Amino acid sequence: MRSSVAKALSVGIVATLSAAGLAWHECVLLAASAAAAHRLFLWGMDNGAPWDAWRAGVRCLFAGLLGLLLAVALFAIIAAGLAGYWQMGHHNARATLALVAVAAALLVVVQLDRQARWAETRFWAFVAGGIAVTFAALRPDQELLPCLVSAGIGTWLALASWRMVRTQARDLLRSDARM
Protein backbone atom coordinates (compact mmCIF):
# COMPACT_ATOMS: atom_id res chain seq x y z
CA MET A 1 0.00 0.00 0.00
CA ARG A 2 2.70 2.46 0.98
CA SER A 3 4.62 1.71 -2.20
CA SER A 4 1.63 2.36 -4.46
CA VAL A 5 0.90 5.67 -2.72
CA ALA A 6 4.55 6.66 -3.09
CA LYS A 7 4.53 5.85 -6.81
CA ALA A 8 1.26 7.72 -7.36
CA LEU A 9 2.60 10.74 -5.49
CA SER A 10 5.85 10.67 -7.47
CA VAL A 11 4.15 10.38 -10.84
CA GLY A 12 1.55 12.98 -9.91
CA ILE A 13 4.04 15.64 -8.84
CA VAL A 14 6.40 15.16 -11.77
CA ALA A 15 3.58 14.88 -14.33
CA THR A 16 1.83 17.99 -13.03
CA LEU A 17 4.97 20.12 -13.09
CA SER A 18 5.99 18.78 -16.51
CA ALA A 19 2.54 19.19 -18.08
CA ALA A 20 2.22 22.76 -16.80
CA GLY A 21 5.75 23.54 -17.97
CA LEU A 22 5.05 22.24 -21.46
CA ALA A 23 1.60 23.88 -21.67
CA TRP A 24 2.86 27.26 -20.48
CA HIS A 25 6.25 26.99 -22.24
CA GLU A 26 7.86 27.59 -18.85
CA CYS A 27 11.40 26.24 -18.54
CA VAL A 28 11.40 26.89 -14.77
CA LEU A 29 8.62 24.35 -14.26
CA LEU A 30 10.43 21.81 -16.42
CA ALA A 31 13.56 22.30 -14.34
CA ALA A 32 11.57 21.99 -11.10
CA SER A 33 9.99 18.81 -12.45
CA ALA A 34 13.42 17.28 -13.09
CA ALA A 35 14.61 18.32 -9.62
CA ALA A 36 11.47 16.84 -8.05
CA ALA A 37 12.01 13.58 -9.93
CA HIS A 38 15.54 13.34 -8.53
CA ARG A 39 14.43 14.15 -4.99
CA LEU A 40 11.55 11.67 -5.25
CA PHE A 41 13.98 8.96 -6.33
CA LEU A 42 16.08 9.62 -3.22
CA TRP A 43 12.93 9.54 -1.06
CA GLY A 44 11.86 6.27 -2.68
CA MET A 45 15.25 4.75 -1.89
CA ASP A 46 14.92 5.80 1.75
CA ASN A 47 11.29 4.68 1.87
CA GLY A 48 12.12 1.21 0.49
CA ALA A 49 15.19 0.57 2.66
CA PRO A 50 16.85 -1.74 3.42
CA TRP A 51 18.05 -2.68 -0.06
CA ASP A 52 20.42 -5.33 -1.30
CA ALA A 53 23.57 -3.47 -2.29
CA TRP A 54 23.47 -4.64 -5.92
CA ARG A 55 19.79 -3.63 -6.29
CA ALA A 56 20.48 -0.20 -4.81
CA GLY A 57 23.54 0.13 -7.05
CA VAL A 58 21.60 -0.73 -10.20
CA ARG A 59 18.78 1.65 -9.24
CA CYS A 60 21.30 4.45 -8.59
CA LEU A 61 23.04 3.72 -11.89
CA PHE A 62 19.85 3.95 -13.93
CA ALA A 63 18.48 6.93 -11.99
CA GLY A 64 21.78 8.76 -12.40
CA LEU A 65 21.87 8.09 -16.14
CA LEU A 66 18.24 9.22 -16.46
CA GLY A 67 19.08 12.36 -14.48
CA LEU A 68 21.95 13.12 -16.85
CA LEU A 69 19.60 12.63 -19.80
CA LEU A 70 17.03 14.96 -18.20
CA ALA A 71 19.71 17.60 -17.63
CA VAL A 72 20.76 17.41 -21.29
CA ALA A 73 17.10 17.65 -22.39
CA LEU A 74 16.60 20.66 -20.12
CA PHE A 75 19.65 22.40 -21.58
CA ALA A 76 18.37 21.61 -25.08
CA ILE A 77 14.98 23.18 -24.26
CA ILE A 78 16.68 26.27 -22.84
CA ALA A 79 18.90 26.55 -25.92
CA ALA A 80 15.90 26.08 -28.22
CA GLY A 81 14.06 28.81 -26.35
CA LEU A 82 16.97 31.21 -26.50
CA ALA A 83 17.46 30.49 -30.21
CA GLY A 84 13.78 31.17 -30.87
CA TYR A 85 12.82 27.61 -31.83
CA TRP A 86 10.61 27.18 -28.78
CA GLN A 87 8.56 30.14 -27.68
CA MET A 88 9.12 30.61 -23.97
CA GLY A 89 6.50 32.29 -21.88
CA HIS A 90 7.06 33.59 -18.38
CA HIS A 91 3.51 34.92 -18.05
CA ASN A 92 2.37 32.60 -15.26
CA ALA A 93 4.91 33.54 -12.62
CA ARG A 94 2.54 33.30 -9.64
CA ALA A 95 1.05 30.00 -10.79
CA THR A 96 4.54 28.63 -11.47
CA LEU A 97 5.73 29.58 -8.00
CA ALA A 98 2.53 28.19 -6.45
CA LEU A 99 2.98 24.83 -8.22
CA VAL A 100 6.61 24.61 -7.11
CA ALA A 101 5.64 25.54 -3.54
CA VAL A 102 2.88 22.89 -3.41
CA ALA A 103 5.20 20.23 -4.83
CA ALA A 104 7.89 21.25 -2.33
CA ALA A 105 5.44 21.10 0.58
CA LEU A 106 4.33 17.61 -0.44
CA LEU A 107 7.93 16.45 -0.69
CA VAL A 108 8.73 17.87 2.74
CA VAL A 109 5.67 16.32 4.39
CA VAL A 110 6.32 12.78 3.13
CA GLN A 111 9.90 12.60 4.41
CA LEU A 112 10.58 9.79 6.86
CA ASP A 113 12.11 11.73 9.75
CA ARG A 114 12.78 15.22 11.03
CA GLN A 115 16.31 15.36 9.64
CA ALA A 116 15.12 14.42 6.14
CA ARG A 117 12.27 16.94 6.34
CA TRP A 118 14.73 19.67 7.30
CA ALA A 119 17.09 18.77 4.43
CA GLU A 120 14.18 18.77 1.97
CA THR A 121 12.94 22.10 3.34
CA ARG A 122 16.37 23.68 2.85
CA PHE A 123 16.63 22.35 -0.70
CA TRP A 124 13.19 23.57 -1.79
CA ALA A 125 13.51 26.90 0.06
CA PHE A 126 16.65 27.57 -1.98
CA VAL A 127 14.99 26.53 -5.27
CA ALA A 128 11.65 28.29 -4.66
CA GLY A 129 13.45 31.34 -3.27
CA GLY A 130 15.58 31.56 -6.39
CA ILE A 131 12.50 31.26 -8.57
CA ALA A 132 10.65 33.91 -6.55
CA VAL A 133 13.54 36.36 -6.73
CA THR A 134 13.86 35.73 -10.45
CA PHE A 135 10.21 36.39 -11.14
CA ALA A 136 10.19 39.45 -8.86
CA ALA A 137 13.10 40.92 -10.83
CA LEU A 138 11.69 39.90 -14.22
CA ARG A 139 11.24 42.75 -16.67
CA PRO A 140 10.36 42.55 -20.38
CA ASP A 141 13.99 43.19 -21.32
CA GLN A 142 15.28 40.48 -18.93
CA GLU A 143 13.62 37.35 -20.31
CA LEU A 144 16.90 35.50 -19.79
CA LEU A 145 16.60 35.42 -15.97
CA PRO A 146 14.25 32.41 -15.72
CA CYS A 147 16.47 30.55 -18.18
CA LEU A 148 19.44 31.17 -15.90
CA VAL A 149 17.54 29.70 -12.95
CA SER A 150 16.57 26.71 -15.08
CA ALA A 151 20.17 26.29 -16.21
CA GLY A 152 21.28 26.44 -12.57
CA ILE A 153 18.82 23.69 -11.63
CA GLY A 154 19.94 21.71 -14.68
CA THR A 155 23.57 22.07 -13.64
CA TRP A 156 22.74 20.89 -10.12
CA LEU A 157 20.85 17.92 -11.58
CA ALA A 158 23.73 17.00 -13.87
CA LEU A 159 26.25 17.14 -11.02
CA ALA A 160 24.02 15.20 -8.61
CA SER A 161 23.28 12.58 -11.26
CA TRP A 162 26.95 12.25 -12.19
CA ARG A 163 27.85 11.82 -8.52
CA MET A 164 25.14 9.17 -8.21
CA VAL A 165 26.52 7.22 -11.19
CA ARG A 166 30.20 7.76 -10.51
CA THR A 167 30.29 7.35 -6.73
CA GLN A 168 27.16 5.95 -5.17
CA ALA A 169 26.26 3.30 -7.76
CA ARG A 170 29.89 2.25 -8.10
CA ASP A 171 30.40 1.96 -4.35
CA LEU A 172 27.19 -0.02 -3.88
CA LEU A 173 27.99 -2.41 -6.71
CA ARG A 174 31.54 -2.89 -5.44
CA SER A 175 30.42 -3.50 -1.86
CA ASP A 176 28.12 -6.27 -3.00
CA ALA A 177 30.92 -7.86 -5.06
CA ARG A 178 33.18 -8.05 -1.98
CA MET A 179 30.71 -10.11 0.03
Side-chain angles (χ1 to χ4, degrees):
M1 173 73 175
R2 192 166 84 171
S3 177
S4 63
V5 171
K7 287 179 184 176
L9 175 70
S10 299
V11 170
I13 289 172
V14 173
T16 300
L17 292 174
S18 297
L22 289 172
W24 296 340
H25 292 257
E26 181 59 73
C27 59
V28 172
L29 279 174
L30 296 174
S33 174
H38 179 82
R39 302 299 289 190
L40 282 163
F41 169 77
L42 297 175
W43 171 69
M45 290 294 287
D46 286 345
N47 196 26
W51 293 88
D52 294 331
W54 70 273
R55 286 181 194 247
V58 169
R59 288 178 61 99
C60 285
L61 178 66
F62 282 111
L65 292 174
L66 181 62
L68 288 170
L69 182 65
L70 285 173
V72 168
L74 184 60
F75 289 130
I77 288 171
I78 293 168
L82 293 176
Y85 294 114
W86 190 60
Q87 184 63 37
M88 291 212 243
H90 305 296
H91 310 293
N92 300 306
R94 288 185 180 153
T96 295
L97 191 55
L99 280 173
V100 171
V102 167
L106 285 171
L107 288 169
V108 168
V109 167
V110 299
Q111 295 302 311
L112 302 177
D113 59 21
R114 190 177 68 174
Q115 183 179 356
R117 280 189 288 279
W118 179 239
E120 201 68 25
T121 300
R122 284 191 314 260
F123 175 81
W124 285 106
F126 183 76
V127 170
I131 293 170
V133 168
T134 297
F135 283 139
L138 189 62
R139 304 285 182 266
D141 61 331
Q142 298 173 332
E143 288 289 320
L144 185 63
L145 282 177
C147 297
L148 290 175
V149 169
S150 298
I153 294 170
T155 301
W156 166 83
L157 178 63
L159 291 172
S161 297
W162 175 250
R163 187 172 39 253
M164 187 180 293
V165 169
R166 177 89 170 114
T167 306
Q168 294 164 334
R170 182 190 63 193
D171 290 348
L172 286 166
L173 291 170
R174 282 186 181 172
S175 71
D176 196 50
R178 282 185 244 146
M179 295 183 144

